[in-house]
Amino acid sequence: AVMSSPSTDYYSPIFFIQMLSFFFLVLFQQDFTGIEAMDLVEILLQSRLPREYVLLILFQFFLIIFERVIYLYQAIKVKIVLQYVLIIYYHVFLFFILPRENGKAFQESFGLITFYILQAMYFILSCLQIRNGYPLFEKRRFLTKSRKPGWIRYYVFITYRAIPFVFELRTILDWTIHRTTLDYYEWLILEDMYMSLYWVKCRNQSIIDAGRPKGQAQPFFSQKVMIGAVVFILLCAVIWFPLVFLAGGSLGNTPNLVVQSELSVSIRGWSPIWKVQQSINITQVDEQKFAKLRSLYRNILSDEQRVTQITTFTEISNNYWDVTRQTLDSLMVALQQPGVELEVVYSFRRAGVLDAGIVLTGSNRRRITEEERAWMPSALREDQSQTLGSNSFVFTDVMPRVIRLSLSNGIIIPSDNSMIAFNLSINRQVETVSVFSSETNTTETITKFVRFWRS
């Protein structure tokens, strides 16, 4: 039988097995936590993490760190204690605790069996390390100590460096434990030098294995064309593809037209005085109107004709302005205060599949001027001489004329814009309504006084 040499270093395969176990727990946690993969996704979407899942991967993470500390200190007695503790813990945990909690026997769980095989490999390597002892002069850089590195070790080292924070954690742990005159920054530079030298060593070995003479130019087709040209084209595609995609047939340039619009005017803090909701009077512009719009507003792009619409709201409010005498008196008192604001709320609903049912809403507020506050109460007051008829008044700078709907379900107000003025009139009239009574089988005529607003 071939015996292992004294002081053989088994840390590299031990570390590899522990990392495999860590990623196995991260990816296949359902056999350990009892949470199915789809349920875990739903939990993560709610910005929550199961406590069992976090404790599981934390335990494996700190086990990797503790194993590294034992290796650096060459604490063989601590390693023996850890070996006994883990053997007892894993057998009790995998064979008794988890099957009882998850209601699934060990031999029926592929995840538990696979994890147990990984731990068995870890225990075998740890036993060999305990039997032979730690190397007297360990090199610490366990992935770069091969005398004849090849592509396999090279890509393993590249993968190790690509794992976020693993290299930094190992470096600062090594610096913390070892006696050295270097500070951490200098130690990090030293580790980086070893990494660069190892890469050069791997490349030189690959040149020797390929049998390429020194000083020979790189092959044109296999290197210059297949690597250089392809990488150059890919980088150009990465740089320019997003712009070409946005300018071409992307979702942002696919017509996603407005099918319903709503506009309301109110004195802030009170119910709307004029409100219109409609699915009509929303038209696309022709070339002549589009050219006129572009001459007035520079923020409209030349390729936006098919997504530009004009909305014309009907004059009469959809609802009666049904306020009590007391509410109207309170409103007229409020209009005497200087801080009263006029608020306009506008909303649009698109027809696209992605935006179906999503309403884009915006608003504009401005303070009611002193002149407007002076004549509004008299226009709203209902005395005997103004019971029927209408009173009108004009609000300037009420809302922007040009509104842009973004892809992110928001409304953008372009800077190059103009404001719309509203000419509102309150109309008072008497309406006669016929009401049928099923009890008396008669029709009763009711006369009522109503108010509505017209723009």
Side-chain angles (χ1 to χ4, degrees):
V2 178
M3 299 297 292
S4 299
S5 60
S7 300
T8 303
D9 191 355
Y10 292 95
Y11 180 75
S12 295
I14 288 177
F15 175 78
F16 180 71
I17 294 298
Q18 286 183 323
M19 290 300 296
L20 280 181
S21 302
F22 178 82
F23 288 113
F24 185 84
L25 291 176
V26 172
L27 299 176
F28 303 97
Q29 51 76 39
Q30 57 268 20
D31 291 313
F32 300 89
T33 62
I35 303 173
E36 296 297 330
M38 292 304 298
D39 295 337
L40 180 63
V41 172
E42 294 179 0
I43 293 174
L44 294 178
L45 290 176
Q46 299 174 10
S47 299
R48 296 189 297 114
L49 280 176
R51 182 184 304 174
E52 298 84 357
Y53 181 63
V54 176
L55 293 177
L56 190 67
I57 57 179
L58 271 179
F59 174 79
Q60 186 64 32
F61 174 76
F62 285 112
L63 180 60
I64 295 173
I65 295 177
F66 191 56
E67 186 74 41
R68 179 67 180 174
V69 173
I70 294 175
Y71 174 73
L72 294 176
Y73 278 116
Q74 298 184 350
I76 196 70
K77 293 182 179 179
V78 179
K79 178 65 176 175
I80 295 174
V81 174
L82 178 66
Q83 183 81 345
Y84 281 112
V85 170
L86 290 180
I87 288 175
I88 297 173
Y89 170 75
Y90 278 127
H91 282 82
V92 173
F93 185 68
L94 296 176
F95 285 92
F96 299 100
I97 297 179
L98 282 181
R100 186 181 69 250
E101 292 184 354
N102 299 334
K104 192 175 183 181
F106 173 82
Q107 59 272 18
E108 299 175 357
S109 175
F110 172 78
L112 295 184
I113 294 174
T114 305
F115 186 76
Y116 182 75
I117 293 174
L118 290 175
Q119 300 313 306
M121 297 169 62
Y122 165 75
F123 290 142
I124 293 173
L125 293 172
S126 296
C127 288
L128 292 174
Q129 188 72 83
I130 292 172
R131 186 189 68 174
N132 298 317
Y134 286 107
L136 192 59
F137 300 101
E138 47 86 16
K139 294 182 174 60
R140 299 189 300 275
R141 299 165 188 86
F142 57 94
L143 290 177
T144 61
K145 63 183 181 180
S146 176
R147 295 183 178 179
K148 186 180 179 181
W151 284 111
I152 296 179
R153 282 186 172 271
Y154 174 75
Y155 285 117
V156 169
F157 185 71
I158 292 296
T159 304
Y160 158 72
R161 287 300 308 268
I163 301 175
F165 303 112
V166 172
F167 171 75
E168 289 76 10
L169 288 172
R170 183 193 68 83
T171 304
I172 196 169
L173 185 64
D174 290 0
W175 177 78
T176 303
I177 292 177
H178 284 89
R179 291 169 58 94
T180 177
T181 59
L182 303 179
D183 58 24
Y184 175 68
Y185 179 72
E186 294 169 337
W187 186 277
L188 194 62
I189 293 176
L190 180 64
E191 292 291 334
D192 191 68
M193 292 170 57
Y194 272 100
M195 176 195 68
S196 301
L197 291 173
Y198 183 71
W199 284 352
V200 172
K201 189 177 180 181
C202 290
R203 289 187 57 82
N204 291 338
Q205 185 63 42
S206 67
I207 293 174
I208 295 173
D209 295 339
R212 187 164 65 90
K214 295 182 178 179
Q216 184 184 38
Q218 293 288 338
F220 176 76
F221 183 78
S222 63
Q223 297 293 325
K224 299 287 188 176
V225 175
M226 297 303 295
I227 296 179
V230 171
V231 172
F232 180 81
I233 293 173
L234 288 177
L235 289 177
C236 291
V238 170
I239 295 172
W240 291 106
F241 178 75
L243 296 179
V244 175
F245 179 76
L246 291 176
S250 63
L251 290 175
N253 290 296
T254 302
N256 190 7
L257 303 179
V258 173
V259 296
Q260 188 180 74
S261 58
E262 181 177 328
L263 180 64
S264 65
V265 181
S266 63
I267 299 171
R268 190 181 180 192
W270 304 84
S271 59
I273 58 178
W274 181 84
K275 183 177 182 179
V276 172
Q277 184 181 35
Q278 60 182 25
S279 300
I280 58 174
N281 300 329
I282 305 174
T283 59
Q284 289 186 265
V285 296
D286 53 25
E287 293 185 3
Q288 184 178 1
K289 289 182 179 179
F290 185 71
K292 184 177 180 181
L293 286 173
R294 288 205 66 210
S295 65
L296 296 174
Y297 307 104
R298 292 173 297 176
N299 55 74
I300 301 178
L301 304 180
S302 59
D303 59 346
E304 289 185 324
Q305 178 181 348
R306 58 177 181 165
V307 294
T308 302
Q309 297 172 276
I310 295 179
T311 301
T312 303
F313 289 95
T314 58
E315 296 180 355
I316 301 176
S317 176
N318 293 153
N319 305 321
Y320 289 126
W321 193 48
D322 191 12
V323 294
T324 63
R325 166 69 67 175
Q326 291 77 11
T327 303
L328 188 60
D329 292 340
S330 300
L331 176 59
M332 288 189 290
V333 172
L335 288 172
Q336 299 176 5
Q337 307 299 322
V340 182
E341 291 182 330
L342 185 74
E343 182 177 34
V344 178
V345 179
Y346 38 86
S347 60
F348 306 92
R349 186 173 68 85
R350 280 172 160 160
V353 176
L354 294 177
D355 296 319
I358 297 179
V359 179
L360 311 179
T361 303
S363 63
N364 188 61
R365 299 171 185 169
R366 76 161 181 83
R367 181 167 295 185
I368 298 178
T369 63
E370 186 176 349
E371 180 182 357
E372 292 167 343
R373 289 190 295 105
W375 51 256
M376 282 186 66
S378 61
L380 294 174
R381 185 177 297 112
E382 297 176 287
D383 52 27
Q384 296 298 324
S385 61
Q386 292 180 317
T387 301
L388 302 179
S390 63
N391 290 320
S392 63
F393 36 88
V394 178
F395 290 107
T396 59
D397 300 334
V398 174
M399 65 173 292
R401 189 176 296 274
V402 179
I403 297 174
R404 183 181 294 274
L405 306 183
S406 69
L407 288 176
S408 59
N409 300 329
I411 288 181
I412 301 173
I413 306 299
S415 57
D416 183 18
N417 218 322
S418 60
M419 302 300 288
I420 299 176
F422 273 26
N423 187 353
L424 295 176
S425 62
I426 181 171
N427 296 262
R428 308 178 185 89
Q429 65 183 34
V430 176
E431 283 195 351
T432 302
V433 181
S434 298
V435 180
F436 177 77
S437 176
S438 58
E439 296 180 356
T440 61
N441 199 24
T442 58
T443 301
E444 182 180 358
T445 300
I446 299 176
T447 301
K448 64 177 182 178
F449 177 80
V450 295
R451 311 179 190 87
F452 64 93
W453 289 80
R454 182 191 296 268
S455 173

